[in-house]
Amino acid sequence: MMFGRSSLRSISAFGKICSQRAFIGPSLLVANRRAFSTIHYRLQEQAATDAKTKAVKQKKAPKHGWFNFFFKASVFSAVAFWGYLTWKVYVETNPRNQKPQSELKDNGNKKKSIVILGSGWGAISFLSKLDTTKYNVTIVSPRNYFLFTPLLPSVPSGTIDARSICDAVRTIARATPGEVKYMEAEAIDIDPKAKSIQLEHNSQRFSIGDAFINNHEPIRTTIDYDYLVYAVGATVNTFGIPGIPENASFLKESNDATAVRQKLFNAIEAARRLPEGSSERARLMNFVVCGGGPPGVELAAEVKDFMDQDLKKFIPNIDKEMKVTLIEAMPNVLASFHPRLIQYTKNIFNEQGVDLRNNTMVKRVDDRNVYCSHRKPDGSQEEVTIPYGTLVWAGGNTQRPITKKLASKILEQKTARRGLLVDDYLKLDGDDYIFALGDCTFTTNPPTAQVAHQEGHFLAEYFNKLSQVDDYQYLAKKEPERAEKYSQKLERVKKSMLPFKYNHQGSLAYIGSDRAVADLSWGSWSTVALGGSLTFLFWRTAYVSMLLGIKSKILVVTDWLKVSIFGRDCSKDS
């Protein structure tokens, strides 16, 4: 047994005293020895107790364990998340004061005007990144909202409400630092020489499934510009196939998605009134999609999910009667994706019962049938007739009439058949004051929302620097004594104005049954092909993060939550 130093010193001192007084007598010596033994025993006992107490303290579990740490981290994360969410909602619903438009900048230089035509991906991406205090900005579009098109195929099935993926142009414009004016009108003519645009505003009423209808005489005005950002997008390309415009629905605008839903339910309810097993009933219960790109694939998958997961609960045997057919002229759907993902998509469609018709080209359409030419593996052609109750055309893009009209007025654009020709800075060939981006242009980049989004950000940064160039040139003339200093700054800004370079980040597509495919890229050297349920979660997370406003993010997540709890709504007008 070990003793402390103080205990040993006490024992030693006691022993010396006893030895010095040993002459007192034998009886006293015996008593001293007994006392010494008692003290020694008690000291041993105390030392043992101290050692046990120390060992217990060392073995005792720490006060703060892993569970406690994760609990506190979770509470902190939840509080931080709701705090951030509350702050984002407050900022969006209480926009800051904007700097009003004026003729001059703060330095006395003239403030140039920018007119933005369009409210799609290119136009809104440009507006959101532009320093609107440096220009007098006006945005013109007949559509007063931005539509998040990647989630549009989820609208006909009721997975997402159309209003959840629409952001008002005025809301987006109000969030910029400088005042932005919005005009709800359509450009009907552009004069590049006079730098003016003729606008037309129609008194419109909304009719489901139809175009806008004029009830009154249109109002026409003219607006001038210093710079024109042309981002009107494209319209649906029917490739001149007879019967498509008259009989097919498109999937380009929010009202298109609503029309598809109404036509689908009209066909179902009409079929329910006919005898089971009849050819007319089978025709009405066939939902046909033409186009094997991501929009067509996702629409077919969404409608199939709607039938199998929700409608069958309320309409007996509809999952067995209802048929979804996807027609694609090319050998594969999702042709731009990795071959493994293409095969995975085919397997999932086969598992779900989607009738996939590859190598099938649509020749003409009437009000009941789609007439196609199918190319067999041996190269021979076979004529195929596919009856339909609801037909959706999800084909390619073509130029709008205003784009063709503009191209005809510029010599360098005479050969522009598939879109406007632009240089590396998105400046229109043949005009120094018109910039074009998005689907209305013809470049080496694909006509996708991702390209238009990056072009919008690039062009906004370009115009921010262009304003600096204009200011330095003005100040160099205004202050000759500092001209050299401004010239140096001017050269640095010009060197930083690099040409546009598209960075492909990948492609996503939903393929049904809570599964998705993702063809992701990191630069030009690495590609990752993913598919399955975890990819579906990634698909949802990626799209929520790309939504513009916090309102849209909350509404879309809420729509998904409602569907997971209550299922999709089965009313026609929802």
Side-chain angles (χ1 to χ4, degrees), residues 274-383:
L274 298 174
E276 293 186 13
S278 65
S279 59
E280 183 66 8
R281 177 168 175 145
R283 178 186 73 82
L284 290 171
M285 296 291 270
N286 191 13
F287 185 89
V288 177
V289 181
C290 298
V297 169
E298 291 183 335
L299 178 60
E302 286 280 358
V303 172
K304 187 61 178 175
D305 283 352
F306 189 29
M307 302 300 157
D308 296 343
Q309 299 174 7
D310 299 290
L311 277 186
K312 73 175 184 180
K313 300 175 184 177
F314 307 101
I315 304 177
N317 299 322
I318 191 172
D319 57 320
K320 299 177 182 178
E321 283 193 90
M322 193 75 193
K323 185 179 179 182
V324 177
T325 303
L326 179 60
I327 301 174
E328 169 55 38
M330 302 295 290
N332 296 305
V333 294
L334 302 178
S336 62
F337 282 62
H338 193 280
R340 286 185 302 172
L341 299 180
I342 295 174
Q343 187 59 46
Y344 179 70
T345 302
K346 290 181 179 179
N347 295 339
I348 296 299
F349 275 6
N350 183 62
E351 176 186 317
Q352 293 175 322
V354 175
D355 184 13
L356 182 58
R357 303 288 189 97
N358 291 323
N359 290 316
T360 304
M361 183 176 293
V362 178
K363 294 297 185 180
R364 65 184 179 91
V365 174
D366 61 23
D367 59 349
R368 290 174 174 269
N369 300 300
V370 180
Y371 301 94
C372 309
S373 176
H374 173 66
R375 186 170 67 254
K376 295 181 179 180
D378 60 4
S380 62
Q381 298 290 329
E382 176 188 13
E383 299 301 318

Side-chain angles (χ1 to χ4, degrees), residues 249-481:
S249 295
F250 303 132
L251 198 63
K252 194 75 173 177
E253 305 291 344
S254 60
N255 61 310
D256 292 335
T258 307
V260 170
R261 181 180 179 87
Q262 288 212 335
K263 290 182 178 181
L264 171 62
F265 273 95
N266 285 339
I268 292 174
E269 296 300 341
R272 300 289 294 175
R273 307 280 72 79
L274 298 174
E276 293 186 13
S278 65
S279 59
E280 183 66 8
R281 177 168 175 145
R283 178 186 73 82
L284 290 171
M285 296 291 270
N286 191 13
F287 185 89
V288 177
V289 181
C290 298
V297 169
E298 291 183 335
L299 178 60
E302 286 280 358
V303 172
K304 187 61 178 175
D305 283 352
F306 189 29
M307 302 300 157
D308 296 343
Q309 299 174 7
D310 299 290
L311 277 186
K312 73 175 184 180
K313 300 175 184 177
F314 307 101
I315 304 177
N317 299 322
I318 191 172
D319 57 320
K320 299 177 182 178
E321 283 193 90
M322 193 75 193
K323 185 179 179 182
V324 177
T325 303
L326 179 60
I327 301 174
E328 169 55 38
M330 302 295 290
N332 296 305
V333 294
L334 302 178
S336 62
F337 282 62
H338 193 280
R340 286 185 302 172
L341 299 180
I342 295 174
Q343 187 59 46
Y344 179 70
T345 302
K346 290 181 179 179
N347 295 339
I348 296 299
F349 275 6
N350 183 62
E351 176 186 317
Q352 293 175 322
V354 175
D355 184 13
L356 182 58
R357 303 288 189 97
N358 291 323
N359 290 316
T360 304
M361 183 176 293
V362 178
K363 294 297 185 180
R364 65 184 179 91
V365 174
D366 61 23
D367 59 349
R368 290 174 174 269
N369 300 300
V370 180
Y371 301 94
C372 309
S373 176
H374 173 66
R375 186 170 67 254
K376 295 181 179 180
D378 60 4
S380 62
Q381 298 290 329
E382 176 188 13
E383 299 301 318
V384 178
T385 300
I386 303 174
Y388 71 88
T390 305
L391 175 64
V392 179
W393 181 263
N397 296 328
T398 190
Q399 298 309 306
R400 296 184 182 275
I402 183 64
T403 304
K404 297 177 181 178
K405 196 172 184 179
L406 174 62
S408 67
K409 295 184 177 183
I410 301 174
L411 180 62
E412 287 80 359
Q413 300 291 329
K414 296 292 185 181
T415 59
R417 297 289 181 267
R418 300 174 61 183
L420 297 174
L421 304 177
V422 296
D423 64 10
D424 293 337
Y425 295 90
L426 306 182
K427 186 186 297 181
L428 203 67
D429 289 351
D431 195 293
D432 292 334
Y433 303 100
I434 300 178
F435 294 77
L437 65 160
D439 294 349
C440 63
T441 62
F442 176 65
T443 64
T444 57
N445 302 316
T448 62
Q450 186 178 169
V451 172
H453 178 68
Q454 292 186 25
E455 287 178 340
H457 284 181
F458 163 82
L459 195 57
E461 185 63 27
Y462 178 86
F463 268 92
N464 291 339
K465 293 178 179 179
L466 192 62
S467 175
Q468 294 180 18
V469 169
D470 188 44
D471 287 344
Y472 288 141
Q473 290 175 342
Y474 168 77
L475 292 173
K477 293 179 181 179
K478 183 180 178 181
E479 304 174 13
E481 68 279 3

Side-chain angles (χ1 to χ4, degrees), residues 138-168:
T138 302
I139 181 168
V140 179
S141 175
R143 189 183 70 183
N144 66 354
Y145 59 88
F146 165 77
L147 178 66
F148 189 80
T149 50
L151 288 177
L152 190 59
S154 299
V155 175
S157 64
T159 304
I160 289 177
D161 190 276
R163 288 165 295 197
S164 299
I165 55 174
C166 294
D167 289 278

Side-chain angles (χ1 to χ4, degrees), residues 101 112-118 123 126-127 130 135-141 180-181 183 187 190 195-199 222-232 433-437 459 463:
Q101 294 191 359
K112 290 183 169 58
S113 63
I114 295 178
V115 175
I116 306 170
L117 290 185
F126 171 77
L127 178 62
L130 179 68
Y135 298 94
N136 291 326
V137 183
T138 302
I139 181 168
V140 179
S141 175
V180 176
K181 295 180 179 179
M183 295 183 180
I190 300 173
K195 297 169 66 174
S196 64
I197 310 168
Q198 188 176 5
L199 307 177
T222 301
I223 183 174
D224 297 326
Y225 65 85
D226 291 313
Y227 294 109
L228 172 61
V229 176
Y230 191 84
V232 300
Y433 303 100
I434 300 178
F435 294 77
L437 65 160
L459 195 57
F463 268 92

